[in-house]
Amino acid sequence: MPASTTSTTLFDLRRQQATDAEAPLAARMRPRTLDEFIGQEHIVGPGRLLRRAIQADQLSSVIFWGPPGSGKTTLARIIANTTRAHFIAINAVLAGVKDIRDAVAVAQERRGLHGQKTILFVDEVHRFNKAQQDALLPWVENGTVILIGATTENPYFEVNKALVSRSRIFQLRSLTEDDLRAVARQALADPVRGYGALGVLLDDDALDHLVSVANGDARSVLNALELAVETTQPGAEAAPDTERPLIHITRDIAAESIQRRAVLYDKDGDAHFDTISAFIKSLRGSDADAALYWMAKMVYAGEDPRFIFRRMLIFAGEDVGLADPHALQVVVAAAQAFDYVGLPEGRFHLATACLYLATAPKSNSAFAFFDALGVVEGEREAEAPDHLKDASRDAEDMGHGKGYLYPHAYRDHWVAQQYLPTSLQGRVFYQPGSLGYERQIRDDVARRREAQLAAMLEGEEAAPASGRDTWGGDRTYQGPPASNLWLQRTLSNLGEQLARLRERVMALAQIERHSLVLDLNAGNGLLTWEAVRRAPVGGVWALAATAREAQALQQMATQLDQAERPVILTGAVNDLPALVATVDAATRFDVIVGRSALTAQPDKTAVFHSLLAFLRPGGRLALAQTVPAATQRIYALLDRSGLPGDLAQAWQAAEEAIYADADDALVNWQAEDLRHMALAAGLYEVSVETVAETSAVRITPALLAHWFAESEDGGRPSYMQRLAQQMDGDALAYVRALIERQLLGQTVSWGSVVAFVRGGRGPD
């Protein structure tokens, strides 16, 4: 038996020696110690954790993750050569659960008989299926085996999470060109395992070519070097320092030995996802050169061009969007052309689509859909407003469709009306980008949205629930109570009126790009946001009358870059000097604009004088001021011919008396008076232009009740209380009954007058 054992051992030894001698150069040159190992300094350099663990033979379970030829298996072999532990190696492609059990049995025996640890090296560990990984897990967990796994795939995705959590992950990188040169020179210098005993002369440009094409893979450069040496006939000349004939490896020979660059690319692995990610991010960053490079890498590695087209189609919608609506058409056309043409000519269509997307303006505003989807998913289902509902079935009984305004019947084919559910009014999903086509529509979208918002807030401020009456801040009727707010808006052109007002004020103001602008009585920001657009390199200040208005302006300002946001002050026009001083008392403005900023001011001349002080020399003032004295008379809306006696005349006289009160600063002035007040304050080149406006107003029960309500807390008297100063109770009852009979539920034309005031400060 001993003789037989000895004979078998010698036979195995000779067979192993023969196998080693005939092994490929890459296998023969595999480093045996850390001193021979080249590259990966970030994990095996002096003082590094892995190096210390190997040298101290205190290794715990590890997984080596890196591209082919980076040294994963080599590190495992070095550990096998240096450790006192028993070393078992298996390949996950060939091994099964039985092999794992056999390895575990050996490990248990070694520990029990000799107290020896066992290291189990599993090459291509990601190839283990779930059952195989589960079979290995408990033995790694209890320390029966120390696992060394090697994988080219991301272990966080491809390896059992439990195994990953019990192992330390070391990521190996592709070898640098200097590393590959050192590997090649090491092979040429080693007389036993390499070609040191032969007379090999490798030209520098030949080595450079091998290194370049190997693309970080040591195995690839050694295989190419082996092919070059083994297939090159020795010349007549002797090699230096040896009597052997010279084997001269030129660049041409090297090129024949390694003709195609090795590209790391696995269609189902990390390289696939990393490369397509780099491609998309290069497109998003408008780097055409990088995008072409990453796409070329995918095509070179054999990626399906249809996959690349699919990703570009997604990109056209996600990252270009409305900044260039033609982008989607171009990519679709290129994809269809590719289907007709195929490879290799179809590469032109790939390149065309790639370059178009890379150079196109970018916008991700389409993500607005997902914001809307999040609202739908997270909030209670909102019902469509009645005027948007289908009117073909139950319009008469339910009022569905009633009040809908057909946009094509209005100027510019647009009219302000409610489209969102009532609970979502004011909610913004879509934010147009600032590039390309979207830049052209951005201001239009913003202006229409602001006009709608302004119309909505006009009505809210006029609602009884707000504590103010429907005569509004300037005591002219501005809208219906909140309960009928959006029904009213669908029947009015308030949003359109506000848009016209804004454009007229801006035309008078002549704001320039560098202007510093002050918006008086900013309210909902109708003028503020337009000023921000027109003075991008200047600045805008906004005076909000209430904290609520200021907060709303600040919330809207968050959509702008920090540098573009207006300075928001809170207070009355009379407080302006103190408010400006809190920021910078020396501030003076090029332009001051405002809407209904003078209404509640008893001394309007003093206000003009105060504003003059805040204008720079040559500065301009442009105000839009509703004239309360010229507002719609309610009596004029009715047919009063059936009223008894002189009640019709009494009613008319009583209502006109409201606007003839010389002691009421709200109504004791006309548009022309504003010109005299401005001139008296020192403004020059003052002009006043009046514009008559008409709104469609629906007379609702809530509005009627408000007209005839009792004012509370000493507030401004209601319409009924004003009439009561001139008429008795019976007459008032008759008037109310007539209004209810003729107007309730009807839509009437409500007239108003707006005065546009322009003036300036002369040069000092």
Side-chain angles (χ1 to χ4, degrees):
M1 183 68 68
S4 174
T5 301
T6 303
S7 175
T8 302
T9 301
L10 291 175
F11 175 77
D12 290 340
L13 180 60
R14 292 191 189 98
R15 183 175 61 183
Q16 184 63 46
Q17 290 173 342
T19 300
D20 291 343
E22 296 171 0
L25 177 64
R28 300 198 308 269
M29 289 303 302
R30 192 183 298 277
R32 294 163 295 187
T33 66
L34 284 174
D35 291 335
E36 294 180 357
F37 190 81
I38 296 173
Q40 311 304 337
E41 290 294 317
H42 64 291
I43 59 173
V44 295
R48 300 288 183 176
L49 172 65
L50 182 59
R51 188 183 192 95
R52 297 199 313 269
I54 293 173
Q55 291 173 336
D57 197 12
Q58 294 294 324
L59 195 69
S60 59
S61 292
V62 298
I63 295 178
F64 296 139
W65 165 33
S70 57
K72 300 182 296 298
T73 303
T74 297
L75 273 177
R77 294 297 178 185
I78 289 174
I79 293 170
N81 293 336
T82 58
T83 183
R84 293 184 297 275
H86 182 60
F87 192 89
I88 302 175
I90 60 177
N91 190 298
V93 176
L94 305 175
V97 173
K98 180 180 182 301
D99 299 280
I100 296 173
R101 289 173 179 165
D102 291 345
V104 169
V106 172
Q108 290 173 323
E109 181 180 4
R110 289 275 182 174
R111 172 176 283 187
L113 295 178
H114 309 292
Q116 184 183 28
K117 296 183 294 186
T118 297
I119 294 177
L120 175 62
F121 172 58
V122 182
D123 203 4
E124 303 293 334
V125 67
H126 64 278
R127 299 284 188 176
F128 268 164
N129 59 34
K130 186 177 185 301
Q132 292 167 323
Q133 293 188 36
D134 288 344
L136 180 59
L137 176 61
W139 309 113
V140 173
E141 190 172 33
N142 65 20
T144 300
V145 296
I146 297 171
L147 172 67
I148 299 179
T151 176
T152 57
E153 304 298 328
N154 189 332
Y156 294 103
F157 296 130
E158 303 296 336
V159 179
N160 187 312
K161 288 183 174 57
L163 277 179
V164 169
S165 69
R166 288 159 178 79
S167 307
R168 190 180 296 272
I169 309 296
F170 290 97
Q171 184 175 7
L172 284 71
R173 303 167 182 164
S174 296
L175 298 182
T176 66
E177 292 190 355
D178 288 340
D179 292 336
L180 293 181
R181 289 189 181 92
V183 168
R185 293 190 181 106
Q186 189 181 64
L188 292 174
D190 193 309
V192 178
R193 296 179 294 159
Y195 296 126
L198 300 179
V200 178
L201 175 61
L202 179 64
D203 289 348
D204 289 341
D205 58 349
L207 178 58
D208 290 342
H209 180 75
L210 292 178
V211 166
S212 174
V213 179
N215 201 29
D217 187 338
R219 186 182 296 105
S220 179
V221 77
L222 288 174
N223 289 342
L225 179 62
E226 181 180 26
L227 182 62
V229 172
E230 299 294 344
T231 59
T232 300
Q233 294 295 324
E237 182 182 356
D241 302 326
T242 178
E243 297 179 358
R244 290 181 174 274
L246 179 67
I247 300 176
H248 187 192
I249 308 300
T250 64
R251 190 188 185 285
D252 290 339
I253 295 175
E256 292 177 356
S257 302
I258 185 169
Q259 296 181 354
R260 180 176 172 89
R261 179 181 298 275
V263 177
L264 174 60
Y265 195 85
D266 184 340
K267 292 184 182 180
D268 297 319
D270 270 11
H272 163 81
F273 292 108
D274 290 345
T275 306
I276 192 63
S277 176
F279 173 61
I280 294 299
K281 289 173 180 175
S282 299
L283 289 178
R284 187 176 295 133
S286 299
D287 190 330
D289 301 311
L292 285 173
Y293 169 79
W294 294 115
M295 187 173 73
K297 182 175 182 179
M298 289 187 286
V299 173
Y300 182 85
E303 181 61 82
D304 184 356
R306 289 175 179 81
F307 167 75
I308 302 174
F309 272 121
R310 283 196 297 273
R311 293 305 301 264
M312 287 196 288
L313 283 168
I314 295 170
F315 183 90
E318 177 182 346
D319 290 282
V320 177
L322 288 183
D324 185 350
H326 297 297
L328 186 59
Q329 301 173 18
V330 169
V331 180
V332 168
Q336 291 176 340
F338 179 87
D339 284 339
Y340 280 117
V341 175
L343 291 174
E345 291 85 354
R347 295 176 178 180
F348 289 112
H349 306 108
L350 277 168
T352 298
C354 172
L355 290 173
Y356 193 98
L357 293 178
T359 56
K362 305 298 190 293
S363 171
N364 66 345
S365 59
F367 274 100
F369 167 76
F370 298 98
D371 293 336
L373 186 62
V375 171
V376 172
E377 292 173 343
E379 296 186 5
R380 184 172 61 87
E381 183 178 356
E383 185 178 352
D386 283 346
H387 66 283
L388 297 185
K389 291 181 179 178
D390 179 20
S392 63
R393 296 168 297 168
D394 46 18
E396 293 186 7
D397 293 337
M398 305 297 295
H400 291 176
K402 188 175 183 180
Y404 171 66
L405 297 182
Y406 187 57
H408 298 296
Y410 293 82
R411 186 168 65 91
D412 296 331
H413 300 262
W414 178 82
V415 62
Q417 68 179 318
Q418 175 190 11
Y419 294 106
L420 276 170
T422 303
S423 61
L424 295 178
Q425 288 311 312
R427 188 67 175 265
V428 173
F429 297 113
Y430 174 52
Q431 292 292 350
S434 59
L435 300 176
Y437 172 75
E438 264 194 322
R439 183 177 185 177
Q440 303 173 33
I441 68 172
R442 183 180 186 180
D443 289 349
D444 288 340
V445 171
R447 289 187 179 104
R448 288 176 177 175
R449 184 175 284 156
E450 289 160 11
Q452 283 195 311
L453 179 60
M456 178 184 71
L457 294 179
E458 290 287 319
E460 284 182 344
E461 292 177 356
S466 68
R468 301 173 60 188
D469 60 33
T470 52
W471 294 81
D474 56 9
R475 299 307 178 191
T476 60
Y477 179 74
Q478 298 181 31
S483 59
N484 294 284
L485 172 62
W486 278 106
L487 177 60
Q488 178 62 56
R489 284 194 54 217
T490 62
L491 298 173
S492 73
N493 59 346
L494 183 56
E496 186 178 347
Q497 287 181 15
L498 291 171
R500 289 199 300 267
L501 180 148
R502 175 182 56 200
E503 295 308 312
R504 189 179 291 270
V505 170
M506 291 300 157
L508 294 174
Q510 298 178 355
I511 296 174
E512 300 176 358
R513 289 177 52 82
H514 58 272
S515 296
L516 185 61
V517 183
L518 169 64
D519 180 10
L520 302 172
N521 194 30
N524 48 64
L526 181 71
L527 301 180
T528 301
W529 308 124
E530 184 66 17
V532 168
R533 281 190 289 270
R534 296 186 180 222
V537 297
V540 177
W541 292 43
L543 178 62
T546 66
R548 178 190 175 200
E549 290 177 355
Q551 183 180 11
L553 290 171
Q554 289 166 350
Q555 289 176 346
M556 294 182 69
T558 59
Q559 302 171 18
L560 303 174
D561 291 339
Q562 187 70 38
E564 297 176 339
R565 297 175 185 176
V567 177
I568 299 172
L569 308 175
T570 306
V573 175
N574 294 334
D575 302 326
L576 197 57
L579 294 173
V580 172
T582 62
V583 182
D584 185 353
T587 301
R588 296 296 180 266
F589 300 94
D590 299 298
V591 180
I592 296 178
V593 297
R595 181 169 70 97
S596 296
L598 305 176
T599 304
Q601 301 299 322
D603 189 350
K604 296 176 177 56
T605 301
V607 174
F608 277 123
H609 188 271
S610 175
L611 296 179
L612 178 65
F614 280 101
L615 281 175
R616 288 177 177 171
R620 297 174 297 282
L621 176 74
L623 304 178
Q625 181 62 53
T626 303
V627 183
T631 194
Q632 175 67 47
R633 305 307 197 249
I634 296 177
Y635 70 80
L637 298 173
L638 295 101
D639 177 8
R640 294 170 289 137
S641 60
L643 289 175
D646 60 354
L647 183 55
Q649 290 76 18
W651 180 7
Q652 179 175 340
E655 187 167 346
E656 289 294 344
I658 299 175
Y659 303 99
D661 186 353
D663 296 325
D664 189 346
L666 186 69
V667 296
N668 63 0
W669 57 275
Q670 295 291 336
E672 182 61 21
D673 295 327
L674 294 176
R675 189 173 74 86
H676 297 301
M677 295 172 185
L679 288 171
L683 289 165
Y684 85 114
E685 294 185 354
V686 177
S687 64
V688 176
E689 180 185 3
T690 58
V691 175
E693 293 283 4
T694 301
S695 299
V697 173
R698 186 176 178 81
I699 309 301
T700 64
L703 177 57
L704 188 62
H706 189 69
W707 285 347
F708 290 88
E710 294 285 347
S711 64
E712 299 177 358
D713 301 327
R716 188 174 180 84
S718 68
Y719 177 69
M720 179 201 68
Q721 290 172 314
R722 287 282 191 168
L723 295 183
Q725 297 174 6
Q726 307 284 333
M727 303 170 65
D728 60 30
D730 291 340
L732 286 176
Y734 208 103
V735 167
R736 178 167 185 169
L738 182 63
I739 292 176
E740 290 180 352
R741 187 165 59 251
Q742 291 191 21
L743 298 185
L744 187 59
Q746 301 300 310
T747 299
V748 300
S749 295
W750 193 279
S752 61
V753 173
V754 179
F756 292 90
V757 182
R758 186 184 189 279
R761 176 172 180 170
D764 290 348

